[in-house]
Amino acid sequence: MQKNAIFGIIDAKNALIIQLMDIQQITSFLTLADELHFWRASFKLNITQSALSRQIQSLENELSLSLFNRSKRKVELTAAGKFLYQQWEPLMQQLTYSTRYAQKIHRGEYGSLTINHPGSISHNLLPDLLARISKLYPDVKVELVQLKYTQEEEFLKAFKIDIAYSRYEHKSDFIESKLVWKENFGFAVPINHPIQSEEDLTSDILKQQRFVLPTLQHGYIFPETIFSIFNHYKINPVISYESDFGSTVLSLVAKGLGIAILPFSFAQQAPPNIRFIKIPFEIPLYLYWRKNEDNPLITNILKLT
């Protein structure tokens, strides 16, 4: 029995496996069937004509049939040869494609991954990362999600996401992290709002406002910083709406339903009827992934961040 065998022929009459064939034999048969010329086929396969003839003869003997009609003038497929060519050619193509993609998976160049991100990086950092991924790994599919910060660590542990950008600091023995950057907060107000500049951010004015804010849960740096901002301006805010999705917050501000405090990068995606006023309070952006990650694709993507 030949090594590297991939196909078996079953004798329907006796229900016996007759013989397994070598990949090289089938490749030689398909190449000769394409060229119908021994010299051109042997040149394409980088073997001698005599070696090609031996492979074809060996295959015909194993199958107990003739694959080619040979004469001094031409080489033609037999009826049986035409049938096997039609059956084997797409199978060999599939084998080739499968092998190539398996190699890409091994090298971390193929597959899919899920990235969690806050809405604030949707117009700067995230598109830049996706452009680099598309250029270096065009066969990679990326799914983008936005989770509540209380779900981020849980989804990483459950392998529901692979990489998480977050404004929140998670401390866990299961995940690795790095600080990506820090940026300022800003007040988001309607364009015709009485607050026009940082000088207008006084306690008296802010006490009269309704706020649209993310869920403020103690113990996380994002809400703790917002609490610090309120303490700085000496106000106990009236919170009318809560949403952890920045796009929703911006929409409510644009409708005049309140003002918001958001990372200043949201200014890049704000509607034209919203004004952003930068304030001297910073918020970090972290990147999280599973500790001891062994998926080569995720390892490659992390090198781009």
Side-chain angles (χ1 to χ4, degrees), residues 266-281:
F266 269 113
Q268 298 181 49
Q269 55 185 291
N273 62 338
I274 289 182
R275 181 192 310 278
F276 262 81
I277 301 169
K278 186 180 292 187
I279 57 176
F281 290 84

Side-chain angles (χ1 to χ4, degrees), residues 74-141:
K74 60 182 178 179
V75 178
E76 293 180 324
L77 282 165
T78 64
K82 289 179 181 178
F83 172 77
L84 288 178
Y85 177 82
Q86 292 170 353
Q87 298 298 310
W88 288 352
E89 198 273 338
L91 291 176
M92 286 298 292
Q93 282 191 3
Q94 183 60 45
L95 177 67
T96 300
Y97 295 152
S98 299
T99 302
R100 287 176 180 171
Y101 276 108
Q103 292 170 339
K104 287 187 175 184
I105 291 170
H106 176 72
R107 296 192 300 263
E109 299 173 358
Y110 178 78
S112 61
L113 74 155
T114 303
I115 300 176
N116 172 71
H117 68 95
S120 55
I121 67 171
S122 297
H123 281 65
N124 43 38
L125 185 150
L126 189 61
D128 291 343
L129 173 63
L130 296 179
R132 292 195 294 274
I133 293 174
S134 179
K135 180 178 180 180
L136 294 174
Y137 308 112
D139 294 317
V140 170
K141 177 185 176 181

Side-chain angles (χ1 to χ4, degrees), residues 30 36 45 62 118 140 142 148 164 203 282 295:
L30 294 175
L36 294 177
L45 292 165
E62 291 175 6
V140 170
V142 180
K148 291 175 67 70
S203 296
E282 291 185 329
N295 184 324

Side-chain angles (χ1 to χ4, degrees), residues 185-199:
F185 271 107
F187 275 86
V189 301
I191 196 72
N192 57 356
H193 196 276
I195 297 175
Q196 296 286 305
S197 66
E198 188 177 356
E199 287 71 27

Side-chain angles (χ1 to χ4, degrees), residues 3 22 24 37 51 53 61 66 81 91 107 136 145 149 165-166 168 182 194 204 223 239 249 257 260-261 263 285 291:
K3 64 180 181 179
D22 185 271
Q24 185 57 53
H37 193 285
S53 296
N61 290 340
S66 295
L91 291 176
R107 296 192 300 263
L136 294 174
V145 299
Y149 60 87
Y165 284 99
S166 178
Y168 299 88
K182 288 185 177 182
D204 289 340
I239 302 174
V249 173
L257 298 176
I261 301 174
L285 176 70
K291 188 171 289 187

